[in-house]
Amino acid sequence: MRSASLPDNALSHNCKLCFAQLKPAENVAQKAGIMSRWSIFALLALACNASKFLSVERQQSNTTESPCQCQADTSSIPRPTRTKNKCVFIDLGAADGNSYNAFLQGQYGNIADCPNQEYEAILVEANPHFKAALDGVAAQSVPGKELHVMLNGAWMCDADTTFHVMGTTAGSSSLAPQASSPEDVHVHLINVIQLIKKWTIPGDKVLLKVDIEGAEFDIIPCLAQSDVLSSDITAFVEEHYFLGGVQRSMTGITDAEYNAAKETLKSKGVKMPHYSSATLIQKAA
């Protein structure tokens, strides 16, 4: 479908900066030919609405502490007893299973390259509105191509807390408080570091997708302190700088600390390619 560029005067003055930041994404969508003019406008409007409440959310996130502290030690966590290697796709922020479908299409690596031609997918999603869709995805599970759904929040420790939900609007629900969130739900947080240890063995091809609306700024520094890091892991991390970056941190992480943590992951062999939803749109074109 043909799409036209949006004129700057179609947006309010307060959204001009937001529009400029998203212009590259608009161009990618136009080249892909999959978004109409008004679809792009809706996307920009959503991002601008997030920008409108950003200062309030920053104040809230800066005064809201994590419900638990980093638990990076996995020495008491056993590995699986299996000896046969496979791909393990860990999807943090699974939504309705769209990233799993992208995994099947080879957008996280060729499935044919999975050890022994087998894979296992762990789909983690805290938003209960996606339960029905994820149950439908999990019904596709068969031996050698196994799927597991976990209706939990992805975090760096185990705890019960409140999750702030925006219905089934992808890219809006989060652990950090939101001024515009219409619904709060109770969720159990799971320790991502322990999750990796529980589901993988050395030699697996581990594909860790992280799209969790700012929680990455707390999880990655904790992961950097763990003993699960290796060259078996490729981490696809969507960094939500347009939502405030490290100011969404619930542990007070700074930019310098976050960047240092990423360098630690890389020094341990973890591959961290640039990742964003726009990248997947471009690949699908």
Side-chain angles (χ1 to χ4, degrees):
M1 182 179 295
R2 184 179 181 273
S3 60
S5 297
L6 294 175
D8 282 3
N9 60 15
L11 301 173
S12 69
H13 174 74
N14 291 334
C15 284
K16 291 292 182 66
L17 178 59
C18 175
F19 177 79
Q21 291 175 332
L22 289 179
K23 198 74 173 180
E26 178 198 356
N27 293 336
V28 169
Q30 289 178 339
K31 289 178 181 178
I34 61 173
M35 295 183 71
S36 69
R37 176 175 182 245
W38 297 111
S39 295
I40 298 171
F41 183 83
L43 177 64
L44 293 172
L46 177 63
C48 289
N49 185 57
S51 179
K52 176 181 177 182
F53 293 103
L54 186 55
S55 61
V56 175
E57 291 184 14
R58 285 176 176 174
Q59 292 173 5
Q60 290 178 324
S61 63
N62 286 342
T63 58
T64 303
E65 294 184 355
S66 170
C68 53
Q69 299 304 308
C70 171
Q71 298 171 357
D73 182 6
T74 67
S75 56
S76 64
I77 306 299
R79 295 274 190 182
T81 57
R82 63 179 170 85
T83 58
K84 194 176 182 181
N85 287 121
K86 63 174 71 174
C87 279
V88 181
F89 179 59
I90 301 176
D91 187 356
L92 307 182
D96 63 356
N98 59 316
S99 293
Y100 171 69
N101 290 330
F103 164 73
L104 292 180
Q105 295 166 11
Q107 294 179 10
Y108 295 91
N110 194 337
I111 292 182
D113 295 334
C114 287
N116 298 301
Q117 302 291 297
E118 294 186 4
Y119 67 78
E120 198 158 11
I122 299 95
L123 311 182
V124 182
E125 175 56 53
N127 187 336
H129 294 289
F130 288 119
K131 181 180 186 303
L134 289 173
D135 285 346
V137 173
Q140 304 169 24
S141 182
V142 295
K145 296 177 175 58
E146 300 170 22
L147 292 92
H148 311 274
V149 171
M150 305 181 72
L151 295 176
N152 301 104
W155 200 231
M156 56 186 179
C157 45
D158 288 278
D160 294 315
T161 192
T162 299
F163 192 73
H164 309 283
V165 174
M166 292 286 287
T168 56
T169 304
S172 297
S173 303
S174 73
L175 182 60
Q178 301 191 92
S180 55
S181 175
E183 181 183 3
D184 289 344
V185 297
H186 177 82
V187 299
H188 180 72
L189 302 177
I190 57 172
N191 187 326
V192 171
I193 296 95
Q194 293 183 4
L195 183 72
I196 295 171
K197 183 79 173 287
K198 288 177 181 177
W199 289 91
T200 68
I201 62 174
D204 283 344
K205 185 175 182 179
V206 183
L207 306 170
L208 177 66
K209 172 247 169 174
V210 183
D211 187 0
I212 44 180
E213 309 309 310
E216 68 274 8
F217 295 110
D218 292 309
I219 290 178
I220 295 301
C222 185
L223 181 60
Q225 302 174 43
S226 75
D227 59 355
V228 300
L229 303 178
S230 76
S231 58
D232 293 337
I233 300 175
T234 301
F236 301 87
V237 182
E238 175 125 12
E239 299 175 316
H240 293 80
Y241 282 105
F242 85 97
L243 291 180
V246 295
Q247 296 194 55
R248 289 181 68 81
S249 168
M250 298 176 71
T251 60
I253 290 293
T254 65
D255 266 321
E257 290 169 331
Y258 176 69
N259 289 326
K262 290 197 297 181
E263 291 306 313
T264 297
L265 264 64
K266 294 174 184 177
S267 72
K268 298 293 180 64
V270 176
K271 295 170 281 296
M272 297 188 72
H274 175 73
Y275 174 75
S276 70
S277 56
T279 299
L280 291 181
I281 291 173
Q282 192 172 31
K283 285 183 178 180

